[in-house]
Amino acid sequence: NVIDIPKQLEYFKEYKKRLESAIGKKRTENHIKKALFIVSAGTNDFVINYFTLPIRRKTYSISGYQQLILQTATQFVQDLFEQGARRILFGGLPPMGCLPVVITLFSNHAISERGCIDYFSSVGRQFNQMLQNELKLMQIRLGNHGVRIYLTDTYGALTDMIQGLGRSAFDEVSLGCCGTGYMETAILCNPKSYLCPDASKYVFWDSIHPTEQTYSNVFKSLRPIVDAVIRD
């Protein structure tokens, strides 16, 4: 029930019209040209729509599905460019085999064996490389229009934290803070849910999403890229 990419693009076009009526066409174009666009897409497509639900797997091989998501993602970046975007950060897929929900659903012994499942992470690594190649080609093709397109290494940053590398150490890397930590997300993680005593000690808030501390660490690791994109 999420808002799909074509609908989000429609909303952006509507936003542009409202902005133009408020500040004028020229100022709107300049505003969008200097704005930073952050695109995060793909994780749910693989974890839920492909690996968990059976419908997509009946239609696509994993390589075919990677191509489908790749085409959708790159077309969206192209559409943003055509709407005036010039500074675009695309978040790479995380190590999907390390998400608590993936471990719970696909580990042979979900309670006792909470290590990352590399097959699912490898799909993310492959996709990130495919996306990196496509975005580099787009950067070359559109560079003379002042475009800056970067793929952020969310995968590496999150993997380092899960493996205990770097200055920030976490007490729990394979369970979420909310509820049992095995499966809860969305409505299953609500104001009445049990919570861990200190979420900052957990990599994951629920069975899919990182905690505030994890997001903060990821941002700090990506700060040089962010600075490079927004620098005038």
Side-chain angles (χ1 to χ4, degrees), residues 19-20 22-33:
L19 198 61
E20 287 177 3
I23 64 174
K25 186 176 179 65
K26 191 66 178 179
R27 289 179 64 189
T28 295
E29 291 176 353
N30 189 56
H31 173 70
I32 292 174
K33 180 180 178 181

Side-chain angles (χ1 to χ4, degrees), residues 5 39 67-81 88 90 127 130-136 138 141-142 149:
I5 280 181
V39 183
Q67 285 293 335
L68 173 68
I69 302 302
L70 181 67
Q71 291 170 8
T72 303
T74 52
Q75 182 59 54
F76 186 55
V77 173
Q78 177 68 33
D79 291 339
L80 287 178
F81 164 76
I88 303 171
F90 203 113
F127 179 81
M130 295 162 63
L131 183 59
Q132 177 76 288
N133 294 340
E134 288 298 318
L135 294 181
K136 282 184 177 179
M138 293 186 75
R141 179 166 54 86
L142 303 175
I149 306 174

Side-chain angles (χ1 to χ4, degrees), residues 67 108 117 214 229:
Q67 285 293 335
N108 292 328
I117 305 175
T214 303
V229 176

Side-chain angles (χ1 to χ4, degrees), residues 8 46 148 197:
Q8 291 184 50
F46 284 99
R148 302 175 192 173

Side-chain angles (χ1 to χ4, degrees), residues 167-208:
R167 290 176 291 179
S168 298
F170 292 87
D171 294 341
E172 180 55 67
V173 301
S174 66
L175 294 171
C177 170
C178 181
T180 65
Y182 290 102
M183 287 289 292
E184 291 89 348
T185 188
I187 195 172
L188 295 178
C189 187
N190 57 69
K192 295 184 179 180
S193 299
Y194 166 80
L195 299 178
C196 64
D198 186 356
S200 68
K201 300 297 183 182
Y202 281 60
V203 170
F204 294 98
W205 165 251
D206 56 21
S207 66
I208 296 178

Side-chain angles (χ1 to χ4, degrees), residues 55-117:
I55 298 174
R56 290 293 195 186
R57 294 199 304 275
K58 292 181 179 180
T59 308
Y60 296 95
S61 65
I62 187 59
S63 61
Y65 194 66
Q66 286 173 323
Q67 285 293 335
L68 173 68
I69 302 302
L70 181 67
Q71 291 170 8
T72 303
T74 52
Q75 182 59 54
F76 186 55
V77 173
Q78 177 68 33
D79 291 339
L80 287 178
F81 164 76
E82 291 174 1
Q83 291 301 315
R86 292 297 180 267
R87 304 177 183 188
I88 303 171
L89 278 181
F90 203 113
L93 292 183
M96 295 183 292
C98 298
L99 301 180
V101 68
V102 172
I103 297 173
T104 299
L105 290 174
F106 299 103
S107 174
N108 292 328
H109 302 283
I111 304 298
S112 59
E113 296 180 7
R114 299 297 299 173
C116 299
I117 305 175

